[in-house]
Amino acid sequence: METVRIGLIGAGGNTRSRHIPGFLGIDGVELVSVANRTLDSAQRVAAEFSIARPVAHWREVLEDESVDAVCIGTWPYMHAPLTVAALEHGKHVLCEARMAMNATEAHTMRAAARRHPELVAQIVPAPHTLPVDRTVISMIASGKLGEIVALDARVAVSSNYANPEAPLHWRHDRDLSGNNIMGLGIWYEALMRWVGPMSAVCAVGQTVVRHRLDADGRRKAIDIPDYIDVTGPLAQGGQMRLCVTTVAGHPPSPADVLIYGTEGTLQVRQGADGLTLSAARRGDAAPSVVEPDPALVDGWRVEEEFVNAIRGLEPVRLTDFDTGVRYMEWTDAVQISMTCGVRVPLPLQGGV
């Protein structure tokens, strides 16, 4: 396919800052139409990026026979219906993360993709660990840590003391975000690349800020946690603990991940200057900084990977629908465990 013609459905911050520039930087790619929440906002995006056709409704993008592929940049509540409709209209799909509202929707999306194996179906991946992913995977796979004993992750990205005066965000609204909680799913997706999936979860969480003001100044109850702990066994052996919060004041670092093995320890810390990787082996006096091999450092190339997959040049690696289903089943398991106070085995629905 010499020219790939793409329509945009939803043009929020990530679409404007990453996807549109990414597509425009690829030879033989045209952005031909855009639908946003209103025609006025679609027209503004079209004018900013010289997109030929702003439209009033997303169905106009899907019914346009000149469109080969769609980039879905809406909030999660629209991901499943848009993905299924796009595939049924013969369009390749790049869908923003998180994959869906819940695992049921994720399974529906994957089933639609499997009905159309001739079409590319891709989820925007968790990008924050890309610079160290392949180095960490290589160190674990080569046995430098021995057998995994535990992974302990503490995430407080953009966290601060509880503030009920902070504006209501769509992530606080379960009708828009579903079972997705803060950055929980995006971190689990990244950690799965390193140590594989969990085989069960136990979760406890709390909502510290219990209400916020909506756009009309009315108090809205919040039931999505802003502090949560998830623990459980890893399928490959060992166990994992993941703590995510947005209400911890003065956290020691935005994110800190420790992987303990029988022969070594690995630490990934996110600071103001990016990710730092450190490691120590049995007998070492202290951990030392590990500089990733430049050949193993990945950057953001989501749009390139999507277009290359359409052209048959490479398969989708980050992130395919099977991986999306895994992290959405885990997300549902976290919700069930937290709500019911039970240990929830994985996978939820017969495996991936």
Side-chain angles (χ1 to χ4, degrees), residues 41-179:
S41 64
Q43 290 171 334
R44 290 196 299 270
V45 173
E48 180 179 357
F49 295 102
S50 300
I51 300 171
R53 187 170 176 242
V55 298
H57 197 280
W58 54 265
R59 290 194 180 277
E60 295 180 69
V61 177
L62 299 187
E63 292 168 357
D64 185 343
E65 293 185 0
S66 72
V67 172
D68 304 307
V70 295
C71 174
I72 298 171
T74 65
W75 298 330
Y77 79 111
M78 287 297 294
H79 288 181
L82 288 174
T83 295
V84 173
L87 292 168
E88 295 299 332
H89 278 79
K91 316 296 186 187
H92 305 281
V93 172
L94 174 64
C95 181
E96 189 61 76
R98 297 290 83 204
M99 183 177 185
M101 297 270 279
N102 51 53
T104 299
E105 288 191 352
H107 277 269
T108 299
M109 293 166 69
R110 187 177 64 176
R114 288 178 172 177
R115 289 195 299 270
H116 297 279
E118 75 283 3
L119 298 174
V120 174
Q122 180 177 355
I123 305 296
V124 174
H128 49 291
T129 61
L130 290 175
V132 300
D133 275 345
R134 288 202 285 162
T135 299
V136 172
I137 292 167
S138 175
M139 293 178 71
I140 294 173
S142 65
K144 290 185 178 179
L145 303 186
E147 296 299 320
I148 300 297
V149 175
L151 183 151
D152 185 16
R154 290 162 289 169
V155 178
V157 176
S158 301
S159 184
N160 205 341
Y161 293 95
N163 179 16
E165 304 303 317
L168 181 71
H169 192 273
W170 65 264
R171 293 184 185 276
H172 301 132
D173 189 337
R174 194 175 294 277
D175 291 338
L176 301 177
S177 62
N179 287 339

Side-chain angles (χ1 to χ4, degrees), residues 269-352:
R269 172 167 287 188
Q270 181 175 342
D273 298 327
L275 296 175
T276 301
L277 180 62
S278 303
R281 286 180 57 81
R282 184 193 295 269
D284 291 346
S288 57
V289 173
V290 175
E291 295 293 344
D293 182 343
L296 297 179
V297 175
D298 287 329
W300 179 272
R301 56 181 303 272
V302 176
E303 300 79 21
E304 179 186 5
E305 184 176 338
F306 180 57
V307 172
N308 282 352
I310 292 171
R311 289 172 168 163
L313 301 178
E314 65 174 308
V316 169
R317 185 172 64 89
L318 296 173
T319 293
D320 60 37
F321 273 29
D322 284 346
T323 300
V325 168
R326 284 191 186 95
Y327 73 60
M328 286 310 309
E329 286 199 353
W330 179 86
T331 298
D332 276 15
V334 169
Q335 182 66 40
I336 294 167
S337 177
M338 183 177 58
T339 303
C340 301
V342 296
R343 182 180 187 270
V344 181
L346 288 166
L348 279 186
Q349 302 184 33
V352 175

